[in-house]
Amino acid sequence: MRSRFINRLAFSVLVMLGVSAITFLLMFLAGDPAALLASEDATAAEVEAIRKAYGFDRPIVVQYLDWLWHAVQGDLGVSYQSRRPALELILHALPNTLLLIACALALSVSTGVIVGVLAATFRGSRFDRLVITGSVFVQSLPSFWLGIVMILIFSATLRLLPTSGFRGPSYLILPAVTLATFQVGTFARMVRSSMLEVLDSDFVRTARAKGASAGSIVFGHALPNAALPIITVVGLELGGLYGGAVVTETVFGWPGVNTLALSAITSRDMPVIQAFVLVVGILVVITNLVIDMLYTILDPRTRGAR
Amino acid sequence: MSHATSLPLRPQPQSPSKARPINLRLLIPAGLLGVIVVIACLAPWISPYGPNSQDLSARLLPPLWQAGGSTKHLLGTDDLGRDILTRIMYGARVSLSIGAIAVICRMVSGVLIGLVAGYFGGPLLTFFMRLGDVQLALPTLVLAIGVIAALGPSTSNVILVLAITGWVLYARLVVSQVIVVRRQDYIASAQLLGASHCRIIFKHLLPNIIPSVIVFASLDLGLMMLTEGSLSFLGLGVQPPEPSWGGMAAGGRALISTAWWIATLPGAALVVTVALVNVLGEQLRDRLDPRLDATRSA
């Protein structure tokens, strides 16, 4: 098991290096970085001076290694806009984004498990068919539209919940529900199919034959086994959650990293954009690593295997 | 980028014979979707208004069924007096065409890379699969923010972003199948008969993987339309005043409490279209490739 962990860790470090290379190259995709830094009416000589001063005249590999060396030490450059360190800006807004994602994830997993277990237990029933149809529908809902409709219903019409910003727990409800909805369908279907598989297996049949109650079969035998794949799906859905958070934060004016990155686009504040892409990429890699290890620890069947 | 596993809705058909009764579940969404496509194509001839023609005397008119609604503007008008229904019809062109072009770009690049890398294997395969791992660590919208911050927002950059974030999913699907198929005897005999690599890849491998690729692409189309909508909503995609469903929703957001129809109706059009595409995709999967686990991304 230890060698598996070491392999996974090495792999994750490689992926992070790849993410860092993509992040670095974004700067050059934007055009001449020296011209971007210079003021609009700068002469060619002034641009050249900036190029020299910032080291943009060196070979690209050297520049990347230099950038990486600084990045490892937490220096991702200074925001063109606010003149503050880019990483500091991102890390300052990150807790809000993580809070939103964590709440949405908790909401979608718990709802998905309940709905999925019920659908599998009453396989073929009207409820089961409703869950299948509903999950397709839910996956057709764009977050921006759902968010706007929620604001229309719960804020503009019923005046129950606040629309934007973050000044207390009630501000979290609409964004979290909006972000969770897309994933509920995925989790419900996953739990349903995973439960159906386990309910058909020999050990459940044995438990039934020995006279176990329906509740003990579903919750004592089937669910613990069916729950494992959910952990994997959570890992696979993370990217979608981060992406959905971009839209959700915009709709609800949530003060997170995505709102920060979007406002940096208008001013072409590349250091902030780079810090954003790098931090999200590293977070996704780390979460996937943790999930993979968790899976190995929880599932005795993977212990012997490589 | 993410994936979700979902199971086929119905068990695998007992006998996959060609002559099956006409499936209404397949025909109805296909027909409705066809209607939407026809309306999108014929928008200039159906609507008496242009998508950007303003009528300041008819600003913020509500839809027909609300008090103050007018039969001249069935779904009302926006703050510049533009007809919402007309803009939704023109928006369908944007949404459907960008979605379709993005899927074709993702599919062609992913299938080509998957076929070649899967057939030759070795370092080529390792390179593309590791590159894919790196890309999957960056969610589509996050990479989109990075790329569009660098290149500037435009329709072609949206397609570019969707293509470069999606080839991995197709390539993985193709590689997983090519690796199995290329070990079979008929591939070996084709090689012994002196068939070129090119002939083996396109004549023998490609036909094997086409059904699952088509199913995957049909499930991908809805997601691409959602992503395009989101990008345009964020101001990173199709730029106003060109009518796109996401952009119209963003434009009407500030007026939500006074003129709800401006922001919600274009999004509703997207919901209906994507739902039809998804239902169609699920039906296709059940018919063509019931075992395929749809890997979806957002």
Side-chain angles (χ1 to χ4, degrees):
Chain A
M1 192 152 83
R2 179 171 297 162
S3 70
R4 187 184 147 83
F5 278 174
I6 293 172
N7 277 342
R8 277 294 306 177
L9 197 65
F11 171 73
S12 300
V13 171
L14 270 181
V15 173
M16 282 189 210
L17 277 176
V19 169
S20 77
I22 291 182
T23 313
F24 171 75
L25 287 173
L26 282 178
M27 185 72 152
F28 288 85
L29 208 60
D32 184 358
L36 212 65
L37 269 171
S39 60
E40 292 209 349
D41 49 351
T43 63
E46 280 167 348
V47 173
E48 278 314 303
I50 288 175
R51 195 187 308 283
K52 272 237 153 55
Y54 281 83
F56 292 136
D57 53 344
R58 294 170 300 166
I60 197 158
V61 178
V62 178
Q63 285 189 54
Y64 168 65
L65 292 176
D66 186 43
W67 178 85
L68 191 64
W69 176 241
H70 281 101
V72 170
Q73 297 168 326
D75 172 16
L76 286 170
V78 175
S79 160
Y80 299 162
Q81 219 37 31
S82 65
R83 299 283 160 198
R84 285 173 59 199
L87 190 64
E88 189 188 302
L89 288 171
I90 293 291
L91 292 182
H92 182 72
L94 192 62
N96 283 341
T97 299
L98 293 183
L99 176 70
L100 175 62
I101 289 178
C103 288
L105 193 61
L107 199 62
S108 56
V109 169
S110 51
T111 319
V113 167
I114 295 170
V115 170
V117 166
L118 286 176
T121 315
F122 302 104
R123 176 186 201 167
S125 67
R126 209 171 270 175
F127 178 76
D128 188 23
R129 283 196 300 261
L130 184 76
V131 169
I132 294 168
T133 324
S135 66
V136 178
F137 177 69
V138 156
Q139 287 181 335
S140 313
L141 290 175
S143 315
F144 68 85
W145 185 76
L146 187 64
I148 289 175
V149 170
M150 298 255 252
I151 289 178
L152 179 66
I153 297 173
F154 294 101
S155 303
T157 313
L158 299 176
R159 305 206 175 274
L160 285 176
L161 292 164
T163 46
S164 84
F166 181 33
R167 285 188 290 277
S170 65
Y171 286 80
L172 190 55
I173 299 174
L174 288 186
V177 172
T178 303
L179 186 51
T181 305
F182 192 84
Q183 259 75 27
V184 168
T186 315
F187 288 133
R189 294 183 93 162
M190 178 67 219
V191 174
R192 177 185 174 274
S193 60
S194 163
M195 278 292 283
L196 285 179
E197 205 172 295
V198 178
L199 284 174
D200 278 345
S201 63
D202 289 342
F203 75 90
V204 169
R205 199 176 51 191
T206 310
R208 275 209 188 100
K210 288 171 82 176
S213 70
S216 119
I217 287 172
V218 169
F219 295 104
H221 295 277
L223 188 57
N225 282 285
L228 269 172
I230 301 172
I231 301 174
T232 318
V233 178
V234 168
L236 295 171
E237 284 297 304
L238 264 180
L241 269 171
Y242 277 105
V246 177
V247 178
T248 313
E249 284 188 10
T250 309
V251 175
F252 293 98
W254 188 259
V257 276
N258 300 304
T259 313
L260 184 71
L262 281 169
S263 64
I265 287 186
T266 13
S267 49
R268 298 193 98 190
D269 198 343
M270 287 313 286
V272 174
I273 300 283
Q274 284 181 307
F276 165 71
V277 175
L278 190 64
V279 166
V280 173
I282 286 177
L283 274 177
V284 172
V285 174
I286 291 176
T287 334
N288 277 325
L289 180 68
V290 170
I291 284 171
D292 200 61
M293 292 186 168
L294 211 61
Y295 196 92
T296 318
I297 294 166
L298 289 179
D299 191 348
R301 283 168 297 188
T302 57
R303 274 178 207 157
R306 285 286 148 87
Chain B
M1 189 88 26
S2 72
H3 324 249
T5 320
S6 48
L7 271 204
L9 293 183
R10 292 176 295 151
Q12 198 174 347
Q14 296 293 313
S15 57
S17 59
K18 290 266 156 117
R20 274 185 290 183
I22 292 167
N23 187 347
L24 279 183
R25 285 192 198 177
L26 192 69
L27 274 184
I28 292 174
L32 290 174
L33 205 58
V35 171
I36 294 178
V37 172
V38 169
I39 290 178
C41 292
L42 299 180
W45 292 277
I46 298 175
S47 170
Y49 309 100
N52 294 319
S53 57
Q54 304 178 3
D55 178 3
L56 293 178
S57 63
R59 292 171 64 229
L60 297 174
L61 281 182
L64 180 65
W65 61 89
Q66 278 210 328
S70 145
T71 45
K72 282 185 181 166
H73 301 283
L74 295 178
L75 294 181
T77 58
D78 65 8
D79 48 337
L80 295 172
R82 294 176 294 193
D83 184 57
I84 299 279
L85 181 58
T86 305
R87 284 177 69 75
I88 288 179
M89 290 196 288
Y90 278 87
R93 302 177 137 199
V94 171
S95 193
L96 288 167
S97 60
I98 293 187
I101 296 172
V103 167
I104 290 170
C105 291
R106 288 156 76 102
M107 184 170 72
V108 171
S109 56
V111 167
L112 277 180
I113 291 174
L115 277 174
V116 173
Y119 176 71
F120 290 105
L124 195 68
L125 180 62
T126 317
F127 170 75
F128 278 114
M129 290 301 105
R130 292 296 87 85
L131 184 65
D133 289 326
V134 171
Q135 258 196 286
L136 289 179
L138 293 171
T140 307
L141 280 180
V142 172
L143 195 60
I145 288 181
V147 172
I148 288 171
L151 296 177
S154 76
T155 307
S156 50
N157 286 348
V158 168
I159 294 172
L160 178 76
V161 164
L162 296 179
I164 57 177
T165 51
W167 67 268
V168 193
L169 304 172
Y170 287 87
R172 286 191 163 186
L173 174 71
V174 171
V175 163
S176 67
Q177 302 200 348
V178 166
I179 286 178
V180 177
V181 176
R182 63 179 264 233
R183 285 203 206 103
Q184 295 191 353
D185 290 343
Y186 73 95
I187 301 288
S189 45
Q191 277 168 334
L192 286 175
L193 286 170
S196 65
H197 292 315
C198 195
R199 189 181 162 85
I200 291 174
I201 288 176
F202 290 104
K203 282 264 174 187
H204 298 292
L205 291 179
L206 186 62
N208 273 292
I209 57 150
I210 276 183
S212 49
V213 168
I214 289 177
V215 170
F216 188 84
S218 67
L219 291 166
D220 199 28
L221 178 62
L223 199 65
M224 283 305 93
M225 292 174 63
L226 285 182
T227 313
E228 182 277 323
S230 301
L231 284 171
S232 297
F233 175 78
L234 295 171
L236 305 179
V238 179
Q239 295 297 301
E242 199 185 334
S244 68
W245 290 340
M248 289 164 76
R253 200 154 62 95
L255 298 163
I256 188 75
S257 48
T258 49
W260 58 269
W261 54 91
I262 305 177
T264 52
L265 292 181
L270 182 58
V271 175
V272 171
T273 316
V274 172
L276 287 174
V277 169
N278 283 346
V279 170
L280 200 61
E282 304 256 338
Q283 292 297 328
L284 270 181
R285 178 178 64 198
D286 290 356
R287 285 175 85 89
L288 288 178
D289 194 357
R291 285 151 306 164
L292 179 76
D293 275 351
T295 324
R296 315 194 71 211
S297 65

